[in-house]
Amino acid sequence: PGSARRAPQDREYGREYWEQKIVRNCRKHTADLAALEALGWSVLTVWECEVRDPCSVKTRLRSFLNG
């Protein structure tokens, strides 16, 4: 009572929260990637969902490291 915050169970709140969180995460990822590349690093991003196929990850990693 008296709280300006919406309950987490509110569907609209949940959708809005996750949409904003995803946008923030994408911006942060992009900024972090740019900062590392500006320092001369080569970056390979491997998403969690890609790890389900170890052979594919191994091939990408080997290719990345061999430049």
Side-chain angles (χ1 to χ4, degrees):
S3 174
R5 295 173 59 190
R6 294 188 222 166
Q9 298 83 358
D10 182 342
R11 286 181 187 227
E12 189 62 29
Y13 169 83
R15 184 180 60 116
E16 182 179 321
Y17 168 82
W18 286 107
E19 285 175 353
Q20 291 175 6
K21 180 172 178 55
I22 290 168
V23 167
R24 285 191 311 269
N25 286 353
C26 289
R27 286 182 183 150
K28 183 179 183 320
H29 177 76
T30 300
D32 291 346
L33 181 64
L36 288 168
E37 289 176 341
L39 292 171
W41 287 87
S42 296
V43 179
L44 172 68
T45 301
V46 179
W47 297 103
E48 181 180 359
C49 59
E50 296 174 305
V51 180
R52 294 182 186 133
D53 183 358
C55 291
S56 176
V57 173
K58 182 178 176 180
T59 300
R60 284 186 58 215
L61 184 56
R62 186 172 281 145
S63 174
F64 178 78
L65 293 174
N66 289 331

